[in-house]
Amino acid sequence: MFVDRLIENIILKKNHSVVGLDPRINFVPKYIRKNYETSKKGECEAILEFNKIIIDNIKDIVACVKPQIAFYESYGIDGLNTFVKTIEYAKQNGLSIIADIKRGDIGSTAEAYAKAYFEGGFVDVDSVTLNPYLGIDSIKPFLNYCDDKKGVFILDKTSNKSSKDIQDLKVDDKYLYEIVGKYINEWGEANKGRYGYSNVGAVVGATYPREMKVLREIMKSSYILVPGYGAQGGTAKDIIDCFNEDGLGAVINSSRGIIAAHTKEENSKYGEKDFGICIREAAIEMRDSINKELEINNKLAW
Amino acid sequence: MFVDRLIENIILKKNHSVVGLDPRINFVPKYIRKNYETSKKGECEAILEFNKIIIDNIKDIVACVKPQIAFYESYGIDGLNTFVKTIEYAKQNGLSIIADIKRGDIGSTAEAYAKAYFEGGFVDVDSVTLNPYLGIDSIKPFLNYCDDKKGVFILDKTSNKSSKDIQDLKVDDKYLYEIVGKYINEWGEANKGRYGYSNVGAVVGATYPREMKVLREIMKSSYILVPGYGAQGGTAKDIIDCFNEDGLGAVINSSRGIIAAHTKEENSKYGEKDFGICIREAAIEMRDSINKELEINNKLAW
């Protein structure tokens, strides 16, 4: 089961965080960049080296990485090659993968996407993010893989400010995100693993702690992927309610907060070539902040 | 303006239809397939040749093509190369492009996607399809290009059966798709062209004629991309209300109905190498059916 492997990896590393691999060229130290041509292709090669150094520095402490395809796609074919190679390298190093692709399309098209991501047509990953706007037709082709090896995280209440435009609309006495939460819970009922969690997870932003509390109740057995920690403003206190009483049930993502840690003023003490250590320290700090908050709330899973 | 160029192309060719370039290997005639290796790469090369022959056969009668990226992505990098080359060939042949990518993500990520599709980071297209679930943040980076050269089509009421799961939820006395329609109309207000249409369009399925009628009223100046014609069950009668009184305002997509026309029993009269003629005939038939229905309803734009 996808979710069991994810949880085992989390427990092994005592770490609920996910590192978002959303690289931008200005995060890549100059000493790496100068080894490559100043072309699109060269930048993609530099980004791949950057990603590999990040992975080398976090693989023993982090369970999961989440590459966001947009940042690779903006470089075209070369970037997409880097996306694939980054995922392969992360897998070789024992990391669980969430491919952040947010796909959502009619059934026959969703089948093509499932083939791309769950059968290795494009790249073979453990899990993907999906958009629920088209309803169950668009999710089902992925669920066919979720009885065993694969998992999905379906957008519910997203971390951005304007998530309210649609997600907070009131349907009778419920918010739309509550209804989507009920769907997600229902879609996952059939595929639960040994820890009681299903392979059908949800995305709920760290920036909405109040909504999180409600959604945690609605989707007791869904793993929640929580973006918006760090750079987007969410703190350890904000995400405490995304965990169940067993101290499980959520993975917390930080992208820029980790992979651009070395570009922060306060981290100028690190030499350019020590950026990997700086990133590792940021990942440790995030892990410890979350675990400390869990401990205070009697929710440590180990 | 994107929408003006699209309309001029439609009027020039007297054709409101869009050909969906969603190829599958079994649509490609054997005489083409046997020129290429029986590998993923070979299949992608065969698909590119197939697409080019389709484009050669429809370019003088059709205004617009809509490649659906999923069918290319399922082949990985080779498929995505075919996606790019297909779009380039279609542009060289005077066709407007709708890249059917249905992206929807937080602002910084949406910017990366806009760079990919509207600045040629990946491929430079006239317009893309977007998913509104994350609200205006996810649309805005694209709107920044819609004051002039580019356009978007935002999912509203999609053609699939389970579009009801979320899109038909009732918010006070309105359906969710009506609220999304109001947003789309509003987001397009600032960017209207000389025919009175905006660069911010909508996607409404041919399979929902009743909802179409309501949405046409809400989004008077949005161009509506209408999938679901043909293979998904929509007929010329079903799509008449997606046009305004000026006989404009909608493009009707058919994918399998056109690009797999030669695989139908009833078209076995065409020789294998005449598949392009068969596809052309199917495109002409679709054009004429729609125009006939428009004429009956006094809605011919020319």
Side-chain angles (χ1 to χ4, degrees):
Chain A
M1 286 287 275
F2 159 74
V3 72
D4 290 342
R5 278 182 289 126
L6 178 67
I7 292 172
E8 279 151 22
N9 215 344
I10 287 167
I11 293 175
L12 176 73
K13 289 161 180 172
K14 295 191 168 51
N15 192 347
H16 298 283
S17 54
V18 173
V19 173
L21 295 176
D22 311 352
R24 293 156 187 268
I25 192 65
N26 56 329
F27 298 168
V28 181
K30 286 207 186 73
Y31 88 90
I32 294 178
R33 274 191 266 173
K34 78 175 186 206
N35 291 335
Y36 299 96
E37 276 179 47
T38 52
S39 64
K40 243 168 75 162
K41 197 172 176 197
E43 292 194 2
C44 292
E45 287 166 340
I47 287 171
L48 180 59
E49 186 176 335
F50 175 69
N51 283 349
K52 284 184 172 178
I53 295 173
I54 294 173
I55 291 166
D56 290 342
N57 277 281
I58 60 168
K59 63 184 177 188
D60 59 324
I61 51 168
V62 165
C64 187
V65 291
K66 180 176 75 65
Q68 163 54 258
I69 196 170
F71 294 96
Y72 302 88
E73 201 162 290
S74 67
Y75 276 102
I77 297 292
D78 293 322
L80 291 164
N81 250 316
T82 288
F83 176 73
V84 171
K85 286 181 182 158
T86 296
I87 287 172
E88 281 166 0
Y89 192 76
K91 281 166 66 178
Q92 283 159 21
N93 282 284
L95 294 163
S96 296
I97 311 289
I98 303 170
D100 198 355
I101 57 170
K102 297 187 177 66
R103 295 297 189 264
D105 217 306
I106 64 168
S108 55
T109 305
E111 272 170 35
Y113 280 129
K115 203 177 142 194
Y117 290 93
F118 284 171
E119 289 194 13
F122 179 25
V123 58
D124 192 17
V125 297
D126 302 297
S127 67
V128 296
T129 56
L130 297 178
N131 184 311
Y133 189 69
L134 282 84
I136 183 66
D137 296 347
S138 65
I139 308 292
K140 209 160 183 196
F142 295 90
L143 294 189
N144 294 337
Y145 299 82
C146 288
D147 54 351
D148 180 22
K149 283 207 289 221
K150 306 296 185 184
V152 297
F153 294 93
I154 300 171
L155 301 184
D156 187 349
K157 173 68 182 164
T158 57
S159 61
N160 59 317
K161 206 173 159 197
S162 76
S163 67
K164 69 172 171 7
D165 290 351
I166 290 181
Q167 298 160 27
D168 289 6
L169 292 174
K170 253 319 204 2
V171 181
D172 296 325
D173 59 334
K174 300 274 181 227
Y175 289 104
L176 180 69
Y177 60 77
E178 295 178 81
I179 293 169
V180 174
K182 277 185 75 172
Y183 280 135
I184 293 171
N185 186 59
E186 200 181 298
W187 294 339
E189 273 304 314
N191 301 316
K192 284 186 196 162
R194 92 176 81 123
Y195 297 90
Y197 287 98
S198 90
N199 282 332
V200 181
V203 177
V204 183
T207 42
Y208 296 106
R210 214 158 27 97
E211 291 81 349
M212 178 69 80
K213 210 166 176 171
V214 175
L215 287 169
R216 178 72 285 174
E217 282 305 307
I218 294 174
M219 309 181 283
K220 267 283 176 215
S221 55
S222 295
Y223 236 81
I224 302 182
L225 166 62
V226 185
Y229 185 93
Q232 286 183 58
T235 67
K237 283 199 197 316
D238 293 326
I239 49 93
I240 192 69
D241 290 324
C242 61
F243 293 94
N244 279 316
E245 292 308 314
D246 61 1
L248 294 171
V251 281
I252 318 299
N253 182 75
S254 176
S255 301
R256 280 164 287 171
I258 306 290
I259 71 164
H262 55 295
T263 65
K264 284 185 195 158
E265 186 71 34
E266 72 221 55
N267 289 327
S268 57
K269 61 177 185 267
Y270 292 94
E272 200 194 17
K273 294 192 180 177
D274 292 332
F275 83 93
I277 301 172
C278 176
I279 284 174
R280 181 183 176 83
E281 290 300 322
I284 289 174
E285 197 189 310
M286 179 175 170
R287 176 195 69 189
D288 292 348
S289 301
I290 295 170
N291 287 343
K292 201 179 141 196
E293 197 61 35
L294 283 164
E295 203 171 1
I296 293 171
N297 289 274
N298 280 316
K299 280 191 180 179
L300 260 195
W302 37 78
Chain B
M1 287 286 274
F2 159 73
V3 71
D4 290 343
R5 278 181 289 124
L6 178 65
I7 292 172
E8 279 151 22
N9 215 344
I10 288 167
I11 293 175
L12 176 73
K13 289 162 180 173
K14 295 192 167 53
N15 192 348
H16 298 283
S17 53
V18 172
V19 173
L21 295 176
D22 312 351
R24 290 158 188 268
I25 192 63
N26 56 330
F27 298 169
V28 181
K30 287 206 185 76
Y31 86 92
I32 294 178
R33 276 192 265 171
K34 78 175 186 205
N35 290 336
Y36 299 94
E37 276 178 48
T38 52
S39 64
K40 243 168 75 163
K41 195 169 179 204
E43 291 194 3
C44 292
E45 288 166 340
I47 287 172
L48 179 59
E49 186 177 334
F50 175 68
N51 283 349
K52 285 184 173 178
I53 295 174
I54 294 174
I55 291 166
D56 291 342
N57 277 281
I58 60 167
K59 64 184 177 188
D60 59 323
I61 51 169
V62 165
C64 188
V65 291
K66 180 175 77 62
Q68 162 56 258
I69 196 170
F71 294 96
Y72 302 88
E73 202 162 288
S74 67
Y75 276 102
I77 297 292
D78 293 321
L80 292 164
N81 250 318
T82 288
F83 177 73
V84 171
K85 286 182 183 159
T86 296
I87 287 172
E88 281 166 0
Y89 192 76
K91 282 165 67 177
Q92 284 159 20
N93 282 285
L95 294 164
S96 296
I97 312 289
I98 303 170
D100 199 354
I101 57 171
K102 297 189 176 64
R103 296 296 190 265
D105 216 306
I106 64 168
S108 54
T109 305
E111 272 171 35
Y113 280 130
K115 204 177 141 196
Y117 290 93
F118 284 172
E119 288 194 13
F122 179 26
V123 58
D124 192 17
V125 297
D126 301 296
S127 67
V128 296
T129 55
L130 297 178
N131 184 312
Y133 189 71
L134 281 86
I136 184 67
D137 295 348
S138 65
I139 308 292
K140 209 160 183 195
F142 295 91
L143 294 188
N144 294 337
Y145 299 81
C146 288
D147 53 351
D148 181 21
K149 282 206 290 219
K150 305 296 185 185
V152 297
F153 293 93
I154 300 170
L155 301 184
D156 187 350
K157 174 67 183 163
T158 56
S159 61
N160 60 316
K161 207 174 158 199
S162 77
S163 68
K164 68 174 172 4
D165 290 350
I166 291 182
Q167 299 161 27
D168 289 6
L169 292 173
K170 245 343 207 338
V171 181
D172 296 326
D173 59 333
K174 301 274 181 226
Y175 288 104
L176 179 69
Y177 60 77
E178 295 177 81
I179 293 170
V180 174
K182 275 184 79 172
Y183 280 135
I184 293 171
N185 187 59
E186 200 181 298
W187 295 338
E189 272 303 314
N191 301 314
K192 283 187 196 161
R194 93 176 80 122
Y195 297 90
Y197 287 98
S198 91
N199 282 333
V200 181
V203 177
V204 183
T207 41
Y208 296 106
R210 214 158 26 97
E211 292 80 349
M212 178 69 80
K213 209 166 176 171
V214 175
L215 287 168
R216 179 72 285 175
E217 280 307 305
I218 294 173
M219 310 182 282
K220 267 283 176 214
S221 55
S222 295
Y223 235 79
I224 302 182
L225 167 61
V226 185
Y229 185 92
Q232 287 182 57
T235 67
K237 283 199 198 317
D238 292 325
I239 50 90
I240 194 68
D241 289 323
C242 60
F243 292 94
N244 279 315
E245 292 308 313
D246 62 1
L248 294 170
V251 281
I252 317 300
N253 182 76
S254 175
S255 300
R256 279 164 287 172
I258 307 289
I259 71 164
H262 56 293
T263 66
K264 285 185 194 158
E265 186 70 34
E266 71 219 58
N267 288 326
S268 57
K269 61 178 184 266
Y270 292 93
E272 199 194 17
K273 295 193 179 177
D274 292 332
F275 83 92
I277 301 173
C278 176
I279 284 174
R280 180 182 176 84
E281 291 299 321
I284 289 174
E285 197 188 311
M286 179 176 169
R287 176 195 69 190
D288 292 347
S289 301
I290 295 170
N291 286 344
K292 200 178 140 196
E293 198 61 34
L294 283 164
E295 202 171 3
I296 293 171
N297 289 273
N298 279 317
K299 279 189 179 181
L300 259 196
W302 38 79

